Amino acid sequence: MFKNACYFRIADGFELPPLPALEKALQKTRFVPCGPTQPESSGWVPPRGARHTQLAELVGGQLILKLCTEKRAVPASAIKAGVEEKIERYKKETGQERIGAKAKKEFKEEVLLDLLPRAFTKRSHTLLWLAPEQQMLVIDSGTLAGADRIVSALLAALIDIPGAGPALDLQLTQTELSPSAAMAHWLVTREAPFNFTIDRDCELKTPDDQKSSVRYSRHTLDIDEVAQHISAGKVPTQLAMTWNERVSFVLSDTGLVRRMKMLDVVMEGVDKPGKDEDGFDADAAILTGELAGLLPDLLDALGSETRAPSET
């Protein structure tokens, strides 16, 4: 289900609103495809797939939602060519050689409106898991910017349910150690944190304008060369790891979990769904169960979690 995990802490004591109220709120912002001149559209879709209608899925007390985003891709080169054509035509018609910034902006808007109806659309889907018991919101996003868009959509939906939005009080999870510092320590000491192993992929970069980088792919990292790069000033930005011999992933310097994969041991003994089942409940139970163990261990490995002081 999830390939990435961007995780937020939710407020103590937050309770999920009644499912009918949540479903009603989500239906107000259900996904609608882009209109002819609309560059982007987003909204909620059924997590189980197009054959279903329910937008809020509750599996073992875990809430699973899915946001769909559709964009019309207009090539920048096409916009530039259209604007240049309009500028040349304007110069010939008016005899003016100098075109103001306001006119150029208007030309660009006109070109975009003309091209949008002919542009191809592309859709993407993002799952999120809201877990009151674990006090976490986990979003299947490989970037903080992408996660922020999902958070905004969730809060916009919850605002129609009295008290639900403010009660959620989302905070991006912070730790005592920065992920880069922690990864550097593990690589230099050649000691992985408890319940983790270091795998065979890593990226090191210099924290300057040059951004000089070294990448190791399917290569042992238990070598002096890696420590020497770190001593010379390079910092880890990505490190492949495995948790408890159950889940492999790549940890980023922003703390995001990327390229997550459940290993074979996780799937042992799991019954395959029948022809009339979609396997959603089993997948959701496996995913939430593994993340409920992985994320707390990862936070501990990063020096424990820090929390912003509560407002009084």
Side-chain angles (χ1 to χ4, degrees):
M1 294 181 77
F2 280 45
K3 297 298 183 184
N4 310 283
C6 181
Y7 37 99
F8 297 80
R9 184 63 69 184
I10 62 179
D12 294 341
F14 172 78
E15 295 182 1
L16 287 175
L19 201 59
L22 179 59
E23 183 71 22
K24 183 178 179 181
L26 294 172
Q27 289 288 351
K28 292 181 180 180
T29 50
R30 191 182 184 98
F31 173 73
V32 176
C34 289
T37 58
Q38 188 178 6
E40 182 176 336
S41 176
S42 64
W44 302 102
V45 294
R48 289 183 184 271
R51 294 187 296 109
H52 300 266
T53 59
Q54 189 166 316
L55 300 179
E57 287 289 348
L58 202 59
V59 180
Q62 315 295 326
L63 180 67
I64 308 292
L65 304 177
K66 182 188 282 189
L67 191 79
C68 176
T69 300
E70 182 178 76
K71 295 182 179 181
R72 288 188 178 276
V74 179
S77 58
I79 296 175
K80 182 180 179 181
V83 171
E84 289 176 351
E85 183 180 334
K86 279 184 172 290
I87 289 175
E88 290 303 316
R89 187 183 307 128
Y90 181 82
K91 287 179 178 180
K92 290 179 179 179
E93 291 175 353
T94 63
Q96 297 182 20
E97 284 298 319
R98 187 172 180 178
I99 310 298
K102 183 179 178 181
K104 289 181 180 179
K105 182 180 178 182
E106 291 176 353
F107 292 159
K108 184 175 181 180
E109 292 172 351
E110 291 171 2
V111 169
L112 188 59
L113 283 174
D114 180 56
L115 293 175
L116 275 172
R118 293 176 278 164
F120 290 106
T121 58
K122 183 178 180 180
R123 291 184 185 180
S124 61
H125 297 85
T126 306
L127 283 165
L128 65 84
W129 164 41
L130 185 58
E133 185 176 340
Q134 287 78 16
Q135 294 181 258
M136 296 198 84
L137 169 68
V138 182
I139 298 174
D140 184 8
S141 174
T143 66
L144 291 174
D148 284 342
R149 288 194 291 271
I150 309 303
V151 167
S152 297
L154 176 62
L155 293 176
L158 292 179
I159 200 170
D160 285 336
I161 305 174
L168 193 61
D169 189 27
L170 289 173
Q171 300 288 335
L172 185 63
T173 306
Q174 303 288 338
T175 54
E176 292 284 354
L177 290 175
S178 72
S180 289
M183 290 188 286
H185 175 72
W186 303 334
L187 288 168
V188 169
T189 61
R190 304 179 188 181
E191 292 185 7
F194 179 70
N195 267 349
F196 292 90
T197 56
I198 292 174
D199 296 337
R200 295 165 59 85
D201 293 275
C202 177
E203 181 181 71
L204 305 167
K205 282 186 179 180
T206 55
D208 55 24
D209 294 338
Q210 297 296 320
K211 298 296 181 184
S212 302
S213 64
V214 175
R215 292 184 181 181
Y216 293 89
S217 179
R218 297 189 291 276
H219 193 290
T220 180
L221 302 177
D222 188 12
I223 53 176
D224 292 339
E225 183 181 290
V226 172
Q228 290 167 0
H229 280 302
I230 293 173
S231 297
K234 291 185 178 69
V235 297
T237 56
Q238 296 186 66
L239 180 62
M241 306 180 73
T242 294
W243 172 74
N244 210 23
E245 298 182 348
R246 299 177 66 84
V247 184
S248 67
F249 64 95
V250 172
L251 178 64
S252 78
D253 54 353
T254 56
L256 296 178
V257 172
R258 294 174 175 155
R259 289 157 51 188
M260 190 165 53
K261 181 180 179 182
M262 303 294 165
L263 302 184
D264 290 343
V265 66
V266 177
M267 307 309 296
E268 289 179 2
V270 177
D271 293 332
K272 294 183 179 179
K275 292 183 180 179
D276 296 330
E277 300 176 7
D278 53 19
F280 180 86
D281 288 2
D283 288 345
I286 291 170
L287 169 79
T288 57
E290 297 302 318
L291 283 179
L294 187 160
L295 293 179
D297 279 0
L298 180 58
L299 292 174
D300 286 343
L302 295 174
S304 76
E305 186 178 358
T306 60
R307 299 225 190 175
S310 301
E311 295 182 2
T312 57

